[in-house]
Amino acid sequence: MIRINGRQEKAAGKSLADWLCQAGYSGRMIAVEYNGEIISAEQYPQVSLHDGDVVEIVCFMGGG
Amino acid sequence: MEKMMDDCLELGGQRFHSRFILGSGKYSLQLIEAAVQDAGAEIVTLAVRRANTQDKENILDYIPKGVTLLPNTSGARNAEEAVRIARLARAMGCGDFVKIEIMRDSKYLLPDNGETVKATEMLAKEGFIVLPYMYPDLNVARELVSAGAAAVMPLAAPIGSNKGLATKEFIQILIDEIDLPVIVDAGIGAPSQACEAMEMGAAAIMANTALATAGNLPLMAAAFKEAIVAGRKAYLAGLGRVLTRGAEASDPLTGFLHD
């Protein structure tokens, strides 16, 4: 299992790009942190997800 | 008038004509564009949060082009978390500005000045234009200057309280002693309070809740805009003196009809 934004997801074996696309993040303005490291969008296809990985996906929201 | 024409707010080498920094929290995305326009704002703050695919709308679609985005690090409880949020914000490709907001206390939402200094130093070294939200303490403000801050953002009153210039005396000390723009952030609830802070010599005002909880948000944005401009003009003009006691006639003291 892979922990993505605090939830356990079955995504092992997929690339980060494939998982983001399948989850509905295509075209969204997001930033991704993979095991504590920020990954640029060009690198998403090269990152393959493994059990135990931790992924954070963030976006901008209204705030002061 | 000439003094007013070239009167710009300079932050990190960028010049802004507006001295009203607008928050985008606690109101609908549909109102943001009108708020930005009526406020005449050139800088808008944003928060960084975990994304989910249920929210289809992108706040950036509602912010007019040309506006500088100022992501904040709200949610950070220490310097390390603030640095992490700032880096993620920059990875979204919206520039180098960041407002540091570090709170350990969830009741009063007071900024942790010590951690804020640490985060400022780390982020300034990474090339961020750092605007730290802080409790108005002169010693800390001096540390923020040394750490590479582009401005200091002292609070007027607790976040979201609309209570006005509760820390007035201490903000004045920062304005008098710190050689960086002093942007009054948090607690400003009414245009009159924003105007007063600008008369004192504040470089800019940041407001969010005052607008988000107003009866008519865009109209309140316009009211703040005018108050901030008025306060700035008064500061540049130099306020008239205050008598310690007694009165002084404004009219001629000769030529009375009974003479």
Side-chain angles (χ1 to χ4, degrees):
Chain A
M1 296 293 268
I2 294 156
R3 194 173 162 81
I4 302 178
N5 278 4
R7 290 173 53 172
Q8 298 293 336
E9 305 273 357
K10 281 186 192 159
K14 288 184 180 144
S15 76
L16 180 58
D18 286 344
W19 188 86
L20 287 171
C21 180
Q22 181 201 313
Y25 286 107
S26 303
R28 295 278 304 274
M29 183 178 270
I30 53 170
V32 179
E33 196 187 69
Y34 171 73
N35 292 337
E37 214 173 292
I38 294 172
I39 303 290
S40 70
E42 306 85 74
Q43 294 172 289
Y44 295 165
Q46 279 97 60
V47 175
S48 49
L49 300 172
H50 302 94
D51 278 332
D53 283 348
V54 179
V55 178
E56 289 289 341
I57 305 162
V58 301
C59 67
F60 284 128
M61 291 192 181
Chain B
M1 281 314 287
E2 207 178 299
K3 210 171 181 184
M4 222 31 220
M5 292 294 285
D6 56 7
D7 177 46
C8 286
L9 168 65
E10 206 171 309
L11 295 171
Q14 289 192 48
R15 290 160 69 85
F16 300 94
H17 295 281
S18 163
R19 292 176 179 273
F20 186 10
I21 299 176
L22 189 67
S24 62
K26 298 192 290 195
Y27 56 96
S28 82
L29 296 179
Q30 283 71 24
L31 277 172
I32 290 180
E33 192 171 356
V36 170
Q37 271 160 8
D38 293 3
E42 294 172 318
I43 303 175
V44 172
T45 61
L46 296 165
V48 176
R49 287 291 183 273
R50 275 180 172 167
N52 67 68
T53 48
Q54 275 76 56
D55 293 332
K56 294 288 176 207
E57 293 192 298
N58 177 2
I59 188 168
L60 299 180
D61 293 338
Y62 292 88
I63 298 177
K65 295 280 163 281
V67 168
T68 296
L69 301 178
L70 176 57
N72 69 36
T73 65
S74 64
R77 293 159 299 180
N78 53 46
E80 207 169 275
E81 289 180 4
V83 168
R84 182 186 183 198
I85 294 167
R87 287 175 180 159
L88 281 164
R90 185 154 76 171
M92 282 187 271
C94 295
D96 295 328
F97 279 85
V98 65
K99 172 185 158 185
I100 298 181
E101 220 179 297
I102 301 176
M103 292 148 198
R104 272 187 299 185
D105 145 61
S106 58
K107 185 174 180 188
Y108 298 104
L109 301 173
L110 294 172
D112 183 319
N113 277 351
E115 291 295 306
T116 301
V117 172
K118 281 189 222 164
T120 299
E121 192 164 10
M122 290 192 256
L123 291 169
K125 276 188 188 143
E126 292 182 23
F128 282 89
I129 298 164
V130 186
L131 310 182
Y133 170 60
M134 51 113 46
Y135 194 85
D137 176 305
L138 178 60
N139 298 312
V140 171
R142 286 182 171 142
E143 285 173 25
L144 290 168
V145 174
S146 312
V152 292
M153 302 183 83
L155 63 91
I159 289 182
S161 68
N162 283 351
K163 282 186 168 171
L165 285 166
T167 60
K168 185 178 173 183
E169 296 298 328
F170 304 98
I171 288 177
Q172 187 68 66
I173 292 172
L174 299 192
I175 291 168
D176 293 344
E177 301 300 329
I178 295 297
D179 197 20
L180 279 180
V182 174
I183 301 170
V184 178
D185 182 9
I188 295 289
S192 55
Q193 298 155 2
C195 185
E196 185 177 6
M198 294 305 293
E199 286 172 358
M200 287 162 56
I205 301 294
M206 149 92 218
N208 188 341
T209 303
L211 280 75
T213 59
N216 179 329
L217 193 155
L219 189 55
M220 187 57 80
F224 263 87
K225 177 189 177 184
E226 289 176 23
I228 290 165
V229 169
R232 180 66 184 172
K233 284 184 182 173
Y235 172 72
L236 293 175
L239 290 173
R241 53 85 183 113
V242 177
L243 293 179
T244 5
R245 61 180 62 182
E248 189 187 283
S250 315
D251 309 308
L253 292 171
T254 54
F256 293 117
L257 300 187
H258 53 72
D259 282 347

